[in-house]
Amino acid sequence: MSDSTPARQFLDAAIDLLQRVRDEDAAAVEAAGTLIADTVAAGGRLFAFGAGHSSLAAQDVVYRAGGLALMNLLTVPGVVGVDVMPATLGSALERVDGLASAVLDSSPLRSGDLLVIVSLSGRNALPVEMAMSARALGVRVIGVTSVAYATETTSRHVSGTYLKDHCDIVLDSKIAVGDAELTLDTIEAPFAPASTVVTTALLQAVMATAAATLADRGIEPPLLRSGNVDGGHEWNGRVMTEYGDRIFYRR
């Protein structure tokens, strides 16, 4: 494959970003994994939220083979993925003031829990308000965002703040504003987004840290196995029974 092909250029760009977050976010990843382990050890519950395409990374750590069984998806109707019709409605809902508070008021989140919030820009009302309201409830918040947006865009929340301003720990995805890694003279718009690749890898690095930290403390991490390997369903059944009061995606 030639070095000049768009496929090679995109993969190289993604690799460069992964190397950056590996090196530059190492302390934050360690802190986030430790905070998750602390929450599990203390009997807290784990939740993840993302809107639109940011939801893809949040969903990747929920009910996941090799992942923590205690991670639950916090859903907001109309913004989880791009399945709402029209898809543009999801983007509009991210800008609605008060929506996050209404969702949290009817959710199982409580003091002592932990919420991972994924938002590439971190500028819309929904993720900002979600973080602010969650922390007011006594919930610890890990934010996964591109910090660059806070210096190159304006906030869409009435406070003028961003997701990064309301988190216990921030993981910076390093994604450039616009989320497009490639340009060509023959194509008017930039293309080839890498945010999903990088954000998903960041969160899996955090989950790996959490599992290892629990094991170091003599606590068996509540991990799920693949249902496509022999004994997987039996293993998962045992884990879900043991931790049933902290798993909400079965209800």
Side-chain angles (χ1 to χ4, degrees):
M1 182 180 292
S2 169
D3 289 347
S4 63
T5 66
R8 179 63 177 262
Q9 291 172 5
F10 173 76
L11 291 172
D12 285 345
I15 290 168
D16 287 345
L17 284 164
L18 290 170
Q19 289 176 332
R20 283 190 64 195
V21 299
R22 179 196 64 193
D23 298 337
E24 298 173 24
D25 284 1
V29 168
E30 183 71 23
T34 300
L35 184 56
I36 289 176
D38 291 343
T39 303
V40 172
R45 293 92 58 80
L46 308 175
F47 296 84
F49 166 77
H53 287 95
S54 290
S55 179
L56 296 175
Q59 292 181 58
D60 191 60
V61 295
V62 176
Y63 188 49
R64 189 71 165 85
L68 292 174
L70 306 190
M71 187 61 72
N72 301 277
L73 188 66
L74 182 66
T75 60
V76 177
V79 304
V80 181
V82 292
D83 56 341
V84 62
M85 292 297 175
T88 51
L89 175 61
S91 298
L93 289 174
E94 289 186 62
R95 305 178 189 182
V96 174
D97 293 325
L99 179 57
S101 296
V103 169
L104 289 178
D105 286 345
S106 60
S107 79
L109 272 165
R110 66 188 184 193
S111 180
D113 291 346
L114 182 143
L115 174 62
V116 175
I117 301 177
V118 185
S119 174
L120 176 61
S121 73
R123 69 188 296 223
N124 287 311
L126 182 57
V128 175
E129 182 185 333
M130 185 78 73
M132 295 174 68
S133 300
R135 294 184 84 189
L137 292 172
V139 174
R140 307 299 293 273
V141 175
I142 297 172
V144 190
T145 187
S146 171
V147 173
Y149 277 83
T151 58
E152 299 181 37
T153 68
T154 57
S155 171
R156 289 175 174 151
H157 188 259
V158 293
S159 67
T161 60
Y162 296 78
L163 170 62
K164 73 175 187 62
D165 299 317
H166 305 284
C167 300
D168 295 281
I169 299 169
V170 175
L171 300 173
D172 183 6
S173 65
K174 319 295 182 185
I175 299 295
V177 172
D179 192 15
E181 294 300 319
L182 302 183
T183 58
L184 281 176
D185 293 340
T186 53
I187 300 178
E188 186 171 350
F191 59 103
S195 59
T196 303
V197 173
V198 176
T199 303
T200 300
L202 260 176
L203 281 180
Q204 290 298 348
V206 169
M207 297 304 152
T209 301
T213 300
L214 286 168
D216 287 344
R217 298 177 184 178
I219 301 171
E220 181 184 355
L223 297 169
L224 295 173
R225 290 181 180 268
S226 171
N228 295 314
V229 300
D230 292 343
H233 287 298
E234 292 76 14
W235 172 281
N236 293 342
R238 177 183 64 80
V239 172
M240 290 182 181
T241 297
E242 182 176 352
Y243 292 94
D245 60 335
R246 292 196 260 175
I247 295 173
F248 298 91
Y249 50 80
R250 299 185 69 198
R251 303 176 184 176

